[in-house]
Amino acid sequence: MRWLRPTVPRDVRDRLRLERGERVLAHADSREGPLVSTDRALHLPDGRRVRWQDIDRARWDADGEAFTFTEEGVGEHVYTVPDPGRLAETVHERVTATIVVSHRGELPEGGSGFRLVARRPPGGAEVDWRVHLDAGLDPADPRVREAVRHELTAVRERTGV
C-alpha cells in the first residue's frame, strides 16, 4: 500500500530547513510565496519557520483567500492564498493541539479581564503560560498583576499544569 503525502514542489522542499524527523503535512501557494505546514511549524515564504505554539491566533477571511495569523512577540502576518487546500484545516488543528489550558479571568471590578493560556510544543512536555490582557488594560497596573497572579495560581492548582 502506498501512503499519500503532500506533493511539495522540489524547489520549495529544497529551501525548507526541516528539523530531523519533521514531516510535511500540507502546503499552499500564496501570492507572497509558498506556505508549508509540518508537524512542528509553519514555514513562511521568507524562509522563517513559526512554531505552532507561537501562533496565538489564525484565521481565514470570509472569501477564504486572506490568511492572517498573529505570532507571539512579533505581530500579525497576512498572506493571500487563493487555494488553501488542506493548509487551513492543518493550521487550525496544529495550533489547537498546542493548547493545554485556556481560561478566562475577570478583574474584580468586572467588565475587563484576561485569558490565561498554557501551550506545549508538539511532542513536548514543557508548558509555557501566557497572559492575554483585554484591550486597554495596563500590564504594569498592580491590580491587574495581582488578579493575574491569583487566577494563575488557582488554575494551576485545579488543572495540575
Side-chain angles (χ1 to χ4, degrees):
M1 174 156 71
R2 186 170 167 238
W3 293 99
L4 295 176
R5 294 182 185 205
T7 307
V8 178
R10 185 159 190 72
D11 64 319
V12 172
R13 183 175 276 285
D14 289 345
R15 286 194 313 253
L16 293 175
R17 293 189 317 256
L18 299 178
E19 294 176 349
R20 184 182 186 114
E22 188 173 6
R23 295 176 303 114
V24 172
L25 301 175
H27 80 284
D29 289 323
S30 73
R31 291 201 180 112
E32 299 77 14
L35 293 163
V36 179
S37 66
T38 70
D39 56 335
R40 298 181 192 165
L42 178 63
H43 293 259
L44 306 179
D46 64 5
R48 286 188 335 103
R49 62 193 317 267
V50 181
R51 302 174 313 164
W52 295 119
Q53 67 269 25
D54 293 332
I55 297 178
D56 284 332
R57 187 176 29 236
R59 65 187 181 281
W60 298 84
D61 72 355
D63 298 330
E65 278 201 18
F67 168 52
T68 305
F69 74 92
T70 306
E71 182 180 358
E72 176 76 23
V74 175
E76 194 170 84
H77 302 272
V78 180
Y79 295 94
T80 305
V81 186
D83 181 16
R86 292 195 53 233
L87 185 69
E89 68 186 84
T90 303
V91 168
H92 174 76
E93 184 274 328
R94 290 278 120 185
V95 170
T96 302
T98 68
I99 300 171
V100 179
V101 175
S102 180
H103 173 79
R104 173 80 181 161
E106 299 290 331
L107 293 179
E109 301 84 41
S112 353
F114 51 89
R115 180 154 299 282
L116 299 172
V117 182
R119 307 282 299 265
R120 179 183 2 233
E126 189 153 331
V127 172
D128 177 35
W129 282 92
R130 299 177 187 174
V131 179
H132 301 277
L133 299 176
D134 286 357
L137 290 180
D138 180 4
D141 182 333
R143 293 173 302 138
V144 171
R145 295 174 73 82
E146 178 56 27
V148 168
R149 187 195 64 71
H150 181 267
E151 197 70 25
L152 179 58
T153 300
V155 169
R156 291 182 84 170
E157 274 182 21
R158 282 194 310 270
T159 63
V161 176

